[in-house]
Amino acid sequence: MPKRAAKVADAQKTPRSILRDLQEMGDPDKAVILRRFFKTGKGEYGEGDCFIGITVPVLRKYSKCCGLLSLDDCTELLSSPIHEARFLAVILLADRYRRGDATEKEKIFGLYLKNTKRINQWDLVDVSAPHIVGAHLFSGDRQTLYHLAKSDSIWERRIAIVSTFHMIRKNDLSDTLAIAEILSGDSEDLIHKATGWMLREAGKRDRNALVSFLNKYSGRLPRTMLRYAIEKFPQKERACWMKKTPKPVKQV
């Protein structure tokens, strides 16, 4: 970790001091790579996102220096145009949710859903949605997942399917399979990948459930979604499944 980050553990952190630390920890060369990796160019899914070049391991280590930030402070970080600040905000919120009592968890869940426009990259969704949304809905009414799955927002749809990772870990696959059906006609590659990923994880818990789903829907699944879902199948079996979904027609 950069020396500056190693010196700040004892100080009470504020959004302003955290942003200052992040700027000092940033690496312009890494920022260029991250902007390319997260598709921040014009017309791409991450258009305009601002990276300053801090890797995930460094951010996670730095998060241990931040102490127990208030929810207002976390929200302020989440409003930053800097991607790494938003990443830090969601992992801090996930950690607070894990440690919180019922009242705290309800507040964090509400805050998260009110700020989905700021949880606007796949990594932000993936490190937080199962631990906040999935965990919060596991023991109660899960209709919120289905509202998110039908949203016009690509990030809310990704939140819907990735949140079910929490349920999968509890051996409850029903919502994963139901939401995968809803998203089977989605036009976005990021949704194809996330849904295929969750189907694959569901299949690790119950292969028969995945095969039953594929028998019913494989012919209409996008190829990327299907490919991700069957990634752990033997090669010959994967080839058979891939024949069941049409190849995309090349545009002339």
Side-chain angles (χ1 to χ4, degrees):
M1 173 177 288
K3 291 181 179 179
R4 171 64 184 171
K7 294 179 180 178
V8 296
D10 294 332
Q12 177 59 45
K13 309 309 292 178
T14 66
R16 179 175 294 183
S17 66
I18 289 171
L19 290 170
R20 182 170 61 246
D21 291 339
L22 294 180
Q23 289 288 357
E24 293 185 17
M25 293 157 58
D27 182 327
D29 292 333
K30 285 188 175 69
V32 172
I33 296 170
L34 290 170
R35 286 195 292 269
R36 187 180 306 119
F37 182 72
F38 283 95
K39 308 294 185 185
T40 63
K42 187 174 182 179
E44 296 180 310
Y45 63 75
E47 180 177 353
D49 204 354
C50 176
F51 286 82
I52 57 177
I54 310 175
T55 62
V56 168
V58 172
L59 285 169
R60 286 195 176 278
K61 190 170 183 179
Y62 176 76
S63 72
K64 307 302 182 185
C65 303
C66 293
L68 195 64
L69 288 184
S70 71
L71 295 187
D72 286 343
D73 286 347
C74 289
T75 303
E76 186 172 339
L77 282 179
L78 195 54
S79 69
S80 173
I82 297 172
H83 181 92
E84 289 87 344
R86 302 198 309 281
F87 186 95
L88 186 63
V90 295
I91 62 174
L92 289 172
L93 286 169
D95 185 59
R96 279 199 66 149
Y97 186 92
R98 179 177 63 84
R99 298 168 184 265
D101 59 18
T103 300
E104 174 91 342
K105 290 177 188 293
E106 187 67 37
K107 288 180 180 178
I108 293 170
F109 174 70
L111 185 159
Y112 193 92
L113 291 185
K114 288 179 181 177
N115 287 277
T116 55
K117 288 183 179 179
R118 299 169 180 175
I119 306 168
N120 57 352
Q121 267 285 7
W122 58 262
D123 62 327
L124 305 183
V125 172
D126 295 358
V127 300
S128 60
H131 308 298
I132 298 176
V133 179
H136 198 75
L137 297 177
F138 178 71
S139 299
D141 187 346
R142 303 180 187 177
Q143 283 306 305
T144 297
L145 290 176
Y146 295 86
H147 293 312
L148 291 169
K150 297 173 183 178
S151 170
D152 290 336
S153 164
I154 182 176
W155 307 118
E156 290 190 347
R157 299 199 304 278
R158 188 167 179 117
I159 287 170
I161 188 63
V162 174
S163 291
T164 69
F165 204 176
H166 182 88
M167 289 73 168
I168 292 170
R169 288 166 172 158
K170 302 290 186 179
N171 294 314
D172 182 345
L173 313 181
S174 57
D175 293 293
T176 301
L177 299 176
I179 292 173
E181 179 185 354
I182 292 171
L183 297 176
S184 63
D186 203 281
S187 62
E188 295 287 350
D189 188 60
L190 282 178
I191 302 301
H192 302 169
K193 291 176 178 177
T195 306
W197 168 30
M198 289 301 103
L199 287 171
R200 182 183 72 221
E201 294 302 318
K204 291 178 183 178
R205 300 282 177 159
D206 187 339
R207 191 180 190 278
N208 289 336
L210 175 57
V211 170
S212 178
F213 177 88
L214 294 176
N215 277 327
K216 190 172 184 180
Y217 298 111
S218 62
R220 66 189 244 195
L221 296 185
R223 290 181 68 80
T224 298
M225 188 183 296
L226 178 60
R227 186 163 54 247
Y228 271 56
I230 63 176
E231 188 175 33
K232 298 300 182 180
F233 286 13
Q235 182 177 357
K236 288 185 178 180
E237 189 176 355
R238 293 200 308 270
C240 290
W241 282 112
M242 291 305 296
K243 290 178 181 177
K244 297 185 180 184
T245 186
K247 293 182 179 181
V249 178
K250 291 184 179 181
Q251 298 295 324
V252 180

